[in-house]
Short mmCIF file of all heavy atoms in Angstrom, two decimals:
data_model
loop_
_atom_site.label_atom_id
_atom_site.label_comp_id
_atom_site.label_asym_id
_atom_site.label_seq_id
_atom_site.Cartn_x
_atom_site.Cartn_y
_atom_site.Cartn_z
N ASP A 195 -4.73 -2.60 -0.82
CA ASP A 195 -5.30 -1.25 -0.93
C ASP A 195 -6.82 -1.32 -0.72
O ASP A 195 -7.56 -0.55 -1.31
CB ASP A 195 -4.96 -0.62 -2.28
CG ASP A 195 -5.13 0.89 -2.29
OD1 ASP A 195 -5.44 1.47 -1.22
OD2 ASP A 195 -4.97 1.51 -3.36
N ILE A 196 -7.25 -2.25 0.11
CA ILE A 196 -8.68 -2.49 0.27
C ILE A 196 -9.35 -1.34 1.01
O ILE A 196 -8.86 -0.87 2.03
CB ILE A 196 -8.92 -3.84 0.99
CG1 ILE A 196 -10.38 -4.27 0.89
CG2 ILE A 196 -8.45 -3.82 2.43
CD1 ILE A 196 -10.81 -4.66 -0.49
N HIS A 197 -10.48 -0.89 0.45
CA HIS A 197 -11.27 0.19 1.03
C HIS A 197 -12.66 -0.28 1.47
O HIS A 197 -13.30 0.38 2.28
CB HIS A 197 -11.45 1.33 0.03
CG HIS A 197 -10.26 2.21 -0.14
ND1 HIS A 197 -9.06 1.75 -0.66
CD2 HIS A 197 -10.09 3.53 0.12
CE1 HIS A 197 -8.20 2.76 -0.71
NE2 HIS A 197 -8.80 3.85 -0.25
N ARG A 198 -13.15 -1.37 0.87
CA ARG A 198 -14.52 -1.83 1.12
C ARG A 198 -14.56 -3.34 1.25
O ARG A 198 -13.94 -4.05 0.45
CB ARG A 198 -15.45 -1.43 -0.03
CG ARG A 198 -15.54 0.06 -0.30
CD ARG A 198 -16.40 0.78 0.73
NE ARG A 198 -16.52 2.19 0.40
CZ ARG A 198 -15.64 3.13 0.75
NH1 ARG A 198 -14.55 2.79 1.43
NH2 ARG A 198 -15.82 4.39 0.42
N PHE A 199 -15.33 -3.84 2.19
CA PHE A 199 -15.50 -5.28 2.33
C PHE A 199 -16.15 -5.89 1.09
O PHE A 199 -15.84 -7.00 0.69
CB PHE A 199 -16.36 -5.61 3.56
CG PHE A 199 -16.71 -7.07 3.65
CD1 PHE A 199 -15.74 -8.01 3.98
CD2 PHE A 199 -18.00 -7.51 3.39
CE1 PHE A 199 -16.05 -9.36 4.05
CE2 PHE A 199 -18.32 -8.86 3.46
CZ PHE A 199 -17.34 -9.78 3.79
N SER A 200 -17.02 -5.13 0.45
CA SER A 200 -17.79 -5.65 -0.68
C SER A 200 -16.92 -6.08 -1.85
O SER A 200 -17.35 -6.88 -2.68
CB SER A 200 -18.82 -4.62 -1.15
OG SER A 200 -18.17 -3.43 -1.56
N ILE A 201 -15.70 -5.53 -1.95
CA ILE A 201 -14.83 -5.91 -3.07
C ILE A 201 -13.65 -6.76 -2.63
O ILE A 201 -12.75 -7.03 -3.41
CB ILE A 201 -14.32 -4.67 -3.83
CG1 ILE A 201 -13.46 -3.79 -2.93
CG2 ILE A 201 -15.47 -3.89 -4.42
CD1 ILE A 201 -12.74 -2.69 -3.70
N THR A 202 -13.67 -7.22 -1.38
CA THR A 202 -12.54 -7.99 -0.88
C THR A 202 -12.31 -9.25 -1.69
O THR A 202 -11.20 -9.53 -2.16
CB THR A 202 -12.74 -8.37 0.60
OG1 THR A 202 -12.87 -7.19 1.38
CG2 THR A 202 -11.56 -9.18 1.12
N SER A 203 -13.36 -10.05 -1.87
CA SER A 203 -13.18 -11.31 -2.58
C SER A 203 -12.76 -11.09 -4.02
O SER A 203 -11.94 -11.84 -4.57
CB SER A 203 -14.49 -12.13 -2.52
OG SER A 203 -15.56 -11.41 -3.09
N ALA A 204 -13.29 -10.03 -4.66
CA ALA A 204 -12.91 -9.74 -6.04
C ALA A 204 -11.43 -9.35 -6.13
O ALA A 204 -10.76 -9.65 -7.12
CB ALA A 204 -13.77 -8.62 -6.61
N SER A 205 -10.92 -8.72 -5.09
CA SER A 205 -9.53 -8.29 -5.09
C SER A 205 -8.56 -9.46 -5.07
O SER A 205 -7.41 -9.33 -5.45
CB SER A 205 -9.25 -7.39 -3.87
OG SER A 205 -10.05 -6.24 -3.91
N PHE A 206 -9.02 -10.61 -4.60
CA PHE A 206 -8.15 -11.77 -4.48
C PHE A 206 -8.64 -12.93 -5.33
O PHE A 206 -8.50 -14.09 -4.97
CB PHE A 206 -8.07 -12.21 -3.00
CG PHE A 206 -7.66 -11.12 -2.08
CD1 PHE A 206 -8.48 -10.72 -1.06
CD2 PHE A 206 -6.45 -10.46 -2.26
CE1 PHE A 206 -8.10 -9.69 -0.20
CE2 PHE A 206 -6.07 -9.43 -1.41
CZ PHE A 206 -6.90 -9.05 -0.38
N ASN A 207 -9.20 -12.62 -6.48
CA ASN A 207 -9.76 -13.64 -7.35
C ASN A 207 -8.67 -14.22 -8.25
O ASN A 207 -8.35 -13.65 -9.28
CB ASN A 207 -10.89 -13.05 -8.20
CG ASN A 207 -11.57 -14.09 -9.07
OD1 ASN A 207 -11.25 -15.27 -8.99
ND2 ASN A 207 -12.50 -13.65 -9.89
#
Side-chain angles (χ1 to χ4, degrees):
D195 198 4
I196 192 69
H197 283 64
R198 302 284 183 275
F199 172 71
S200 59
I201 63 170
T202 300
S203 58
S205 299
F206 306 121
N207 183 4

